[in-house]
Amino acid sequence: MRPANEAILVIDVQNDFCPGGALAVAGGDEIVAPINALMPEYSVRVFTQDWHPADHLSFASQHGADPMTVTEMPYGPQVLWPDHCIIGSEGADFHGRLDDRLADMIIRKGFRREIDSYSAFFENDHKTPTGLEGYLKTRGVDTITMVGLATDFCVNYSAVDAARLGFTVTVVESLCRAIDFDGSLEAARESMVGAGVTLA
Ligand code: VGL
Ligand code: ZN
C-alpha cells in the first residue's frame, strides 16, 4: 500500500477510446487489466470521463469539416474529432472490465458545448477549473500517478497541469496508449518532461 499522499488518476478509459470505439486508440484495452491490478495500492483513486453533449464543438461534424483537422476556437487551436463520448452513450461508459467500483471520485469533463477539456484540472481555456485540484489537495494528496488514454492528449494535458499546480507527477507510459497524430506523441513527451513530469 502506498502512503496516503499518493493518488492514482485514471484518465478516460472509456469504450470510445478502445478498439471498436468512435475514437479508438490502438491497444487502448490492453491497459485495463494492469490498471485494475495497480489501483488497490492507492488510497486515493480518481477516474476521469470524457463527457460531451451530442453537439459539442470539438466534433468535426459540427463544422462540416473532416475529423482530425484543426480549427481556431476563441481559446486557441482545437483538433476536430469524430463524435465520441456522448453523454449517456455506451461509448462514454468506462471499459467493461475497468473496475470502476474502485473509484473514489469521477471527474466528468468536456460537458460544455463551447469548450473542450483535455485536462482533468482545467478546460482548454487553461482557466476554468474542474475542481480536481481542490479535491486532491483537501485529501492531502501531493503526488499523482497517471495512467490511461490518450497519452498525447488527455494524459499529457492533465500531467502538465498537475505539475504546474505543484503536484509531483509520474506518467506510467506502459499503462497509457496514444493517438499519435501528426507528431503529437513526441510533442507530448517533450511538454511533459519540460513541465517536470517523470515518464516511467
Ligand atoms: C481525448 C481527444 C478528444 C483523450 C478526449 O481522452 O485523450 N482525446 N477527447
Ligand atoms: Zn473528447
Side-chain angles (χ1 to χ4, degrees), residues 73-141:
M73 299 283 257
Y75 52 83
Q78 168 73 49
V79 179
L80 294 175
W81 304 105
D83 295 12
H84 66 278
C85 295
I86 293 172
I87 293 174
S89 69
E90 198 184 326
D93 285 346
F94 293 115
H95 185 280
R97 287 193 310 278
L98 182 71
D99 192 354
D100 55 6
R101 295 170 305 183
L102 295 177
D104 300 334
M105 170 73 166
I106 297 172
I107 291 274
R108 288 176 168 164
K109 59 185 180 60
F111 48 76
R112 289 188 185 86
R113 177 175 193 249
E114 298 72 27
I115 186 166
D116 207 0
S117 186
Y118 294 148
S119 166
F121 294 91
F122 295 100
E123 301 193 24
N124 282 10
D125 60 1
H126 304 291
K127 285 198 277 280
T128 309
T130 63
L132 181 57
E133 177 189 9
Y135 178 80
L136 292 174
K137 288 189 173 165
T138 53
R139 286 198 65 189
V141 170

Side-chain angles (χ1 to χ4, degrees), residues 12 17 23 50-52 56 58-59 81 84-85 109 116-118 154:
D12 296 3
F17 298 122
L23 180 38
D50 212 39
W51 194 250
H52 300 308
H56 196 254
S58 75
F59 295 169
W81 304 105
H84 66 278
C85 295
K109 59 185 180 60
D116 207 0
S117 186
Y118 294 148
C154 290

